């Protein structure tokens, strides 16, 4: 897993996403758009980027079916943004870096 991104499971999801501003990347190892997002997530999750304002998390949908099912995730990557435990945003599919950054910044 990437340095500044916390890997979640069905068991840890609620605790890890209940406080502050959190983005969760729902993905799979076999997903090309998910792999294309990895460098963008790695860059933006750095402490000198957005990592000091947003907690970046990731969940493999193949290993953790319950949480994606609870959120009605049908396509990956899907990004769920939560603020203090409440879903405030959702993005689906590959996002260019600037578009992704701007989408996140509106929640800060």
């Amino acid at each position: 897993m990437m340095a500044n991104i916390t890997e979640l499971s069905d068991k840890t999801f609620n605790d890890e996403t209940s406080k502050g501003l959190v983005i969760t990347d729902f993905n799979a190892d076999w997903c090309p758009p998910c792999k294309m997002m990895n460098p963008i997530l790695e860059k933006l999750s750095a402490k000198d980027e957005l990592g000091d304002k947003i907690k970046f998390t990731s969940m493999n949908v193949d290993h953790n079916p319950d949480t994606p099912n609870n959120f009605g995730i049908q396509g990956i990557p899907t990004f769920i943004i939560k603020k203090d435990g409440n879903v405030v945003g959702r993005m689906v599919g590959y996002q260019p870096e600037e578009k992704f950054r701007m989408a996140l910044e509106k929640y800060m």
Side-chain angles (χ1 to χ4, degrees), residues 7-68:
E7 185 69 32
L8 302 180
S9 69
D10 285 333
K11 291 180 182 177
T12 63
F13 179 81
N14 286 334
D15 285 342
E16 292 284 346
T17 64
S18 64
K19 293 185 181 113
L21 190 57
V22 183
I23 182 165
T24 302
D25 168 23
F26 290 89
N27 61 69
D29 296 335
W30 50 264
C31 167
C34 300
K35 291 178 182 181
M36 291 169 55
M37 286 300 300
N38 285 343
I40 295 169
L41 294 167
E42 183 71 21
K43 179 179 180 186
L44 295 180
S45 67
K47 296 297 179 199
D48 61 345
E49 287 276 350
L50 301 178
D52 60 339
K53 299 172 186 76
I54 302 173
K55 180 178 182 178
F56 284 76
T57 64
S58 177
M59 178 176 282
N60 184 308
V61 298
D62 289 335
H63 302 150
N64 302 283
D66 295 341
T67 303

